[in-house]
Amino acid sequence: MSIDVFTGPIAAALEALPDLLEDYQTLIGAVLGFPSIIYTLNKNNKNQLKLQANQKAHDLKLRANQVANDRRSLRAALKSELTSVREAYVGNIANYNEEGQAGSSIHQNSAFHVVFDSHVEKLGLLSEAEIDAVIKAYRLISEVPYKLRLLVGFDNQGVVTDDYIVLNQDATGIAAGLLEVILAEINTAIQELERHLNPPS
């Protein structure tokens, strides 16, 4: 048997190969390139999903930091306002109790709660205990001018103007007792806010 029997078909196939490749080059290119395209698309998709997950985690972290900052700012602002109100009430009580008074004491005819009023919608940032204490304190603070006007109205114990309530000496003891009750609630609210502003380490 001659070697040409084996090599002849191989040689014929090799001679026909360029023609075969030329006729089917698009199909061959597609068959060889398709897995590469699929791999690239899959890799890009995974990269895109990873980038989106990283961006979402970053956005969530930023949002958590913003909420924490808003919560801290709200606590500090409410504490500051309540401290100012407390100092004013302590001063009023001292004036009410002062001996040798000229016969009357002056109290503002309005409640001071600008910070509270402008941040009511943010109270949800606080803990439940803080919300309860703060709302109770501010409710009592807002009632002070009304209660003092009532006190003046009974038995003609002073004068009420648009800006001030002037209490006669006889009414100052009742007013001092009223403010002392409210001071206890203000102190509770301040302590609750401080507890969260300065947590134990």
Side-chain angles (χ1 to χ4, degrees), residues 147-158:
K147 289 182 177 180
L148 292 178
R149 286 193 300 269
L150 284 177
L151 179 61
V152 168
F154 295 135
D155 302 327
N156 199 19
Q157 293 295 313

Side-chain angles (χ1 to χ4, degrees), residues 92-109:
N92 287 342
I93 292 169
N95 287 339
Y96 296 159
N97 295 331
E98 202 172 86
E99 289 184 7
Q101 237 180 0
S104 61
S105 292
I106 297 175
H107 191 91
Q108 284 189 321
N109 193 7

Side-chain angles (χ1 to χ4, degrees), residues 89 93 140 147 175-187:
Y89 286 179
I93 292 169
L140 293 172
K147 289 182 177 180
L178 170 68
L179 294 185
E180 283 170 359
V181 169
I182 295 169
L183 275 174
E185 297 301 331
I186 291 173
N187 286 330

Side-chain angles (χ1 to χ4, degrees), residues 99-148:
E99 289 184 7
Q101 237 180 0
S104 61
S105 292
I106 297 175
H107 191 91
Q108 284 189 321
N109 193 7
S110 60
F112 184 74
H113 41 70
V114 176
V115 172
F116 179 81
D117 288 346
S118 61
H119 292 85
V120 166
E121 75 282 354
K122 293 184 179 178
L123 289 181
L125 294 171
L126 303 178
S127 71
E128 189 175 335
E130 287 174 299
I131 293 170
D132 288 345
V134 166
I135 288 177
K136 186 172 185 181
Y138 276 103
R139 182 180 54 79
L140 293 172
I141 290 167
S142 68
E143 292 173 357
V144 167
Y146 174 74
K147 289 182 177 180
L148 292 178

Side-chain angles (χ1 to χ4, degrees), residues 19-58:
D19 294 333
L20 187 64
L21 289 175
E22 187 178 332
D23 292 343
Y24 294 101
Q25 68 182 356
T26 303
L27 178 63
I28 293 169
V31 168
L32 294 176
F34 185 72
S36 175
I37 292 170
I38 295 299
Y39 172 80
T40 302
L41 289 173
N42 187 38
K43 186 74 171 170
N44 288 342
N45 186 44
K46 285 181 180 178
N47 289 340
Q48 187 65 30
L49 289 173
K50 185 176 180 181
L51 285 173
Q52 288 174 350
N54 289 343
Q55 184 63 45
K56 186 174 181 180
H58 178 70

